[in-house]
Amino acid sequence: MSIQETKVRETSRRPVAKLADIGSPQSAIRNPQSAIEAGFTLLELIIALGIIAILAAGAIPVARNFIKREKELELRRNLREIRKAIDSYQLACQVGLIGPLDKPPQENMCYPESLEVLVEGVIPPNQVEGRIRWLRRIPKDPFTGNTEWGTRSVDDDPDSIAGGSNGVFDVYSKSTEKALDGKTPYKDW
């Protein structure tokens, strides 16, 4: 007698309850007790959902701070880019790379008339073609969502919010929000 025939005979001699314990798909149908033990209880599901809710409640403030921190980094980067362009414009004016037609008035101390001058550029003296540009575009303020920045001129106070008429010396955000430290407004950056 072969080994397979022996297994078939042993299996056929087992009672029905023993067959249900083998683990076939029909075992849950034949034995209702095993179907009850196989699932999760309502208590286990409620506990699992409670744990997930607690973790989600802790993750939401972290995500909000992460988004605000990213906006702060973008604001710093944009302010640095604009200020660097203003300084480069002033240096080019002092060195003589800006022609007399594009040169700002003397009271501006070689600072640009507006931020748009940095984007439009100027024609260098003794050149027919080509423009010197300091910015490709005016960066957006991440907190206000537009390209309007507060400007200060040379004769303004460092804390003034009204832009003077003697060129653009400095820029600041027009946002009224405060930084993550809770004290510093973004307009003071």
Side-chain angles (χ1 to χ4, degrees), residues 65-145:
N65 282 345
F66 179 76
I67 291 169
K68 193 165 186 176
R69 187 171 289 119
E70 288 295 318
K71 284 184 174 183
E72 284 184 358
L73 288 173
E74 185 179 354
L75 177 65
R76 286 179 195 222
R77 187 174 37 250
N78 291 347
L79 285 171
R80 190 176 306 123
E81 182 180 352
I82 295 171
R83 288 173 179 157
K84 188 176 177 182
I86 291 170
D87 292 342
S88 297
Y89 179 92
Q90 186 199 27
L91 182 65
C93 179
Q94 290 173 348
V95 172
L97 293 177
I98 297 176
L101 297 175
D102 292 322
K103 198 167 189 171
Q106 188 64 29
E107 60 267 6
N108 286 9
M109 297 175 60
C110 275
Y111 284 104
E113 290 288 321
S114 66
L115 294 178
E116 286 77 20
V117 172
L118 301 172
V119 176
E120 294 167 5
V122 297
I123 299 173
N126 302 326
Q127 288 188 5
V128 178
E129 293 183 15
R131 294 180 88 71
I132 301 174
R133 291 183 174 90
W134 291 271
L135 290 173
R136 291 183 183 209
R137 60 178 174 76
I138 298 174
K140 282 187 175 182
D141 182 344
F143 289 100
T144 61

Side-chain angles (χ1 to χ4, degrees), residues 148-164:
E148 292 181 24
W149 296 88
T151 59
R152 294 184 186 101
S153 67
V154 177
D155 53 348
D156 287 341
D157 290 330
D159 295 333
S160 71
I161 56 172

Side-chain angles (χ1 to χ4, degrees), residues 5-58:
E5 291 175 357
T6 316
K7 285 185 180 180
V8 169
R9 283 187 182 183
E10 288 176 9
T11 316
S12 63
R13 291 182 190 162
R14 290 185 188 165
V16 176
K18 297 275 185 182
L19 283 176
D21 293 338
I22 292 176
S24 65
Q26 287 108 8
S27 65
I29 297 171
R30 291 184 185 157
N31 188 357
Q33 183 66 26
S34 65
I36 293 172
E37 294 173 2
F40 293 107
T41 65
L42 182 61
L43 181 62
E44 289 173 328
L45 290 174
I46 291 173
I47 291 172
L49 286 174
I51 291 171
I52 291 171
I54 290 170
L55 291 174

